[in-house]
Amino acid sequence: MDRKEFLQICGGSCLGLVGISLAHACVPTKHIQSTVTNNQVCILKTEFKVSEKDNNKFRKSIITKINGLDYPVVIYRFSENSYSALLLRCSHQGNELSMNGDILSCSAHGSEFSNKGEVIQGPAEQSLQSFTVTNDQEHIYVHLK
Ligand code: FES
């Protein structure tokens, strides 16, 4: 392989990867409002769909504002039957967290958390408050107690 061929192949591959990354990054975070019934919130699994046309493309997460909670909750979808639900409240001093893909960041002092609520970077030392999530064929249920 000569230099020109190498650059064409590598350049094409790199552009493809960048394109995939940008396409994924362009899916905006979906925000929904949820109401509590019997200490749980019920959310349709279809809320994770990127579009009605494509049944196989899902968002990695959605954010829901739940009546009665002072902070939003982010729900990460790992697979059809695996989710996490995390309160977007920093475990250090209570600042609201912001999402950067799979990382939850605190603008107050720089703590970072994983999409399962574990501390990646301090000063926070405790995991985020999480909620049990169960699901059936069409819904997920976030159990608040
Ligand atoms: S309040 Fe989040 S790092 Fe301090």
Side-chain angles (χ1 to χ4, degrees):
M1 176 185 307
D2 67 13
R3 183 174 182 271
K4 187 177 177 182
E5 279 180 316
F6 176 78
L7 290 174
Q8 285 176 338
I9 291 170
C10 287
S13 298
C14 289
L15 287 175
L17 289 174
V18 169
I20 289 168
S21 298
L22 288 175
H24 186 76
C26 289
V27 177
T29 303
K30 185 171 186 175
H31 293 255
I32 62 171
Q33 182 76 35
S34 300
T35 51
V36 180
T37 306
N38 296 328
N39 290 323
Q40 67 183 18
V41 169
C42 177
I43 297 170
L44 283 166
K45 286 183 173 179
T46 54
E47 296 284 5
F48 287 88
K49 275 186 174 180
V50 172
S51 76
E52 288 301 317
K53 296 174 188 165
D54 189 345
N55 282 332
N56 296 315
K57 198 168 181 188
F58 295 93
R59 298 169 198 281
K60 283 181 151 186
S61 59
I62 59 174
I63 293 177
T64 182
K65 187 87 176 120
I66 298 174
N67 293 346
L69 293 184
D70 293 334
Y71 295 84
V73 171
V74 60
I75 301 168
Y76 282 102
R77 179 187 188 276
F78 303 112
S79 70
E80 171 74 14
N81 295 309
S82 178
Y83 300 84
S84 69
L86 306 168
L87 190 67
L88 287 175
R89 178 187 186 278
C90 183
S91 61
H92 181 231
Q93 291 181 359
N95 191 49
E96 186 168 322
L97 300 171
S98 58
M99 270 182 59
N100 185 11
D102 288 340
I103 305 294
L104 302 170
S105 305
C106 181
S107 59
H109 311 107
S111 289
E112 291 185 342
F113 303 86
S114 74
N115 58 13
K116 294 189 175 169
E118 300 149 341
V119 176
I120 296 172
Q121 178 177 303
E125 295 178 346
Q126 295 182 331
S127 298
L128 299 179
Q129 181 178 347
S130 64
F131 303 99
T132 301
V133 181
T134 57
N135 69 95
D136 60 22
Q137 193 75 19
E138 295 179 5
H139 305 90
I140 66 168
Y141 303 93
V142 178
H143 301 268
L144 301 179
K145 290 187 179 174

